[in-house]
């Protein structure tokens, strides 16, 4: 992404207080070597402290936060202890959550429910389709919220204005529809809005963001 955008890549390593200096230097060396091989301008900052707090603090100086998904939020009340969930709720920038394996980011699914955060994700999806030629599918899932098919009128008009072609799907079902659609269409990037319901509702009814993070099959671009 940094290569395509001509962007600088700023790394943040939050070290354990008892981390050996040699381990820290190994991280620094690998980061610098990888960026140099890719021809990227880069810096690496090493700090200690709570990971979520440090990430949110440093995010203010960046345009996008990229995180590995090693400990996704668990289901129910256990999610409250998730550092990743804290970052998603508090971070002032969009996030790209990456599982163990990277993908080419060539075929994207936009999960759209008409919320302000979903509209932010639509903006990103349109940019990727225009600049990166990413194939785009827009999906509205009518489950508990009973989202009508007309919710797709907004992204359809927006994308037509930008001369972006996309497939539009309105499907009945639960959160598993997102997973099934990604698999069925061979997609490799999911774009969606962040948490948009009160914490209690998130704990009781579940969150599409948390469910997809636990699946850990594709990178997920999460917008505020």
């Amino acid at each position: 992404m940094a290569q395509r955008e001509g962007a600088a890549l700023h790394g943040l390593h939050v070290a354990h207080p008892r981390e050996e200096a040699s381990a820290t230097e190994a991280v620094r060396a690998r980061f610098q070597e990888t960026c140099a091989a890719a021809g990227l301008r880069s810096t690496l900052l090493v700090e200690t402290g709570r990971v979520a707090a440090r990430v949110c603090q440093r995010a203010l100086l960046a345009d996008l936060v990229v995180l590995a998904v090693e400990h996704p939020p668990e289901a129910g009340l256990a999610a409250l202890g998730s550092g990743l969930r804290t970052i998603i709720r508090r971070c002032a920038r969009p996030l790209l959550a990456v599982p163990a394996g990277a993908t080419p980011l060539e075929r994207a699914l936009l999960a759209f429910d008409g919320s302000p955060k979903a509209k932010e994700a639509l903006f990103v999806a349109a940019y990727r389709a225009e600049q990166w030629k990413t194939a785009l599918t827009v999906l509205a899932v009518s489950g508990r919220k009973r989202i009508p098919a007309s919710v797709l009128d907004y992204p359809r008009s927006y994308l037509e204005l930008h001369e972006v072609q996309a497939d539009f799907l309105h499907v009945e079902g639960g959160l598993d529809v997102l997973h099934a659609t990604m698999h069925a269409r061979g997609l490799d990037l999911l774009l969606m809005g962040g948490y948009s319901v009160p914490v209690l509702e998130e704990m009781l009814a579940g969150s599409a963001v948390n469910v997809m993070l636990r699946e850990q099959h594709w990178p997920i671009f999460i917008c505020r």
Side-chain angles (χ1 to χ4, degrees):
M1 291 180 66
Q3 285 177 317
R4 291 193 183 189
E5 294 295 320
L9 184 60
H10 302 292
L12 173 63
H13 175 58
V14 183
H16 190 278
R18 294 191 295 274
E19 182 173 292
E20 296 287 341
S22 59
T24 301
E25 286 308 309
V27 170
R28 188 187 302 278
R30 182 179 179 186
F31 179 85
Q32 292 175 338
E33 289 171 4
T34 301
C35 291
L40 296 177
R41 294 174 290 124
S42 66
T43 61
L44 178 68
L45 183 66
V46 178
E47 293 187 343
T48 57
R50 297 180 66 85
V51 175
R54 290 291 178 262
V55 170
C56 292
Q57 180 185 38
R58 293 296 173 182
L60 295 171
L61 304 176
D63 300 306
L64 173 68
V65 175
V66 182
L67 294 170
V69 182
E70 295 183 351
H71 305 288
E74 298 180 32
L77 291 175
L80 293 174
S82 168
L84 180 55
R85 177 187 172 277
T86 298
I87 293 172
I88 295 171
R89 278 213 172 261
R90 297 181 181 177
C91 188
R93 299 291 182 263
L95 295 100
L96 180 65
V98 183
T103 72
L105 308 178
E106 295 176 344
R107 301 175 304 280
L109 176 70
L110 168 63
F112 192 82
D113 61 2
S115 67
K117 293 182 180 182
K119 290 178 180 178
E120 288 293 328
L122 171 63
F123 170 81
V124 175
Y127 176 84
R128 294 187 64 88
E130 285 183 300
Q131 300 298 320
W132 291 38
K133 307 306 177 186
T134 301
L136 182 60
T137 299
V138 183
L139 172 68
V141 180
S142 181
R144 291 182 297 103
K145 294 183 179 180
R146 306 307 303 169
I147 297 174
S150 59
V151 76
L152 293 174
D153 292 345
Y154 184 91
R156 187 178 283 110
S157 298
Y158 184 88
L159 294 174
E160 286 178 356
L161 179 65
H162 289 269
E163 299 182 342
V164 171
Q165 299 216 348
D167 293 331
F168 296 89
L169 303 174
H170 180 260
V171 182
E172 299 280 343
L175 299 179
D176 58 321
V177 171
L178 286 173
H179 184 276
T181 303
M182 293 289 293
H183 268 302
R185 291 183 162 245
L187 307 179
D188 64 2
L189 173 65
L190 173 63
L191 299 105
M192 62 194 310
Y195 302 117
S196 58
V197 298
V199 174
L200 181 59
E201 184 177 344
E202 177 195 337
M203 296 300 102
L204 295 177
S207 161
V209 174
N210 291 349
V211 170
M212 297 310 292
L213 286 171
R214 287 196 294 272
E215 294 292 342
Q216 297 192 60
H217 293 301
W218 318 273
I220 306 176
F221 198 110
I222 304 172
C223 292
R224 290 187 54 78

